[in-house]
Amino acid sequence: MYDMNTLVSLDSAALCRVLAGRAPEPSSLGPQQWRTVVEDLTFRLSTGGDVPSSVPWTRRSAALVYALDAAVASGDMDGRERVTRLLELSSLLISRVAPMEGVVVLDPTWLVELFFTEVPITAREAGNLAAHWRDLDISEIRRLRAARNLATPAVRLARIVGGTAHARLRDWEIVLPQLP
């Protein structure tokens, strides 16, 4: 049985192995504990830390995706935060590691699709609203901020990989500086 303290005390290879094996159950950790696991794993993956090169990216990716999914299932975060965190880490990783099709955290095509699935507004609508965002009600401002939080790492990712990803996010790249 794994609790949060046991998970974060594991070395990175063991942590990735356990989480990629879909353990522990999402309900087995208390409030905020999956968030702690996600933050710990994100830190390890983003810094390279003690993650041995022998740990394949497929396992690292599966571990992160499971931890994020478990955090959502346990109520520690919502789906939009899950996607934002995934895009943030992926844009950082892809700046250091070659993109890899089929590896969630390193697959730009999949990540761009994920962005478009989750973003709550189109770039055109966001641009129109951003011109007078101070006059909007709070729910519209929150929607623009959610779009900005998602678009920031997605645009960063697109700039890194270029090509189709960059072309698909060009409208968001233009509107991003205008968002609150």
Side-chain angles (χ1 to χ4, degrees), residues 59-72:
R59 184 176 305 148
R60 297 179 204 197
S61 181
L64 179 67
V65 169
Y66 178 71
L68 287 166
D69 290 347
V72 171

Side-chain angles (χ1 to χ4, degrees), residues 104-174:
V104 171
V105 298
L106 297 175
D107 188 337
T109 303
W110 187 87
L111 292 162
V112 168
E113 287 303 320
L114 181 63
F115 164 77
F116 281 111
T117 299
E118 190 63 39
V119 71
I121 190 170
T122 67
R124 176 173 280 154
E125 290 170 312
N128 290 339
L129 290 173
H132 58 91
W133 71 266
R134 286 181 175 84
D135 299 327
L136 299 174
D137 65 68
I138 193 72
S139 65
E140 287 296 303
I141 294 170
R142 285 185 181 132
R143 193 162 70 127
L144 287 174
R145 288 190 177 152
R148 181 199 65 207
N149 290 342
L150 288 162
T152 299
V155 166
R156 187 180 322 118
L157 170 77
R159 286 178 183 151
I160 294 165
V161 299
T164 305
H166 193 237
R168 290 195 63 204
L169 286 160
R170 184 69 180 126
D171 290 343
W172 279 104
E173 185 175 32
I174 292 166

Side-chain angles (χ1 to χ4, degrees), residues 1-22:
M1 181 76 174
Y2 295 98
D3 63 10
M4 182 203 64
N5 291 326
T6 302
L7 288 171
V8 299
S9 69
L10 294 172
D11 66 57
S12 293
L15 179 61
C16 287
R17 186 178 60 256
V18 168
L19 294 173
R22 306 191 61 77

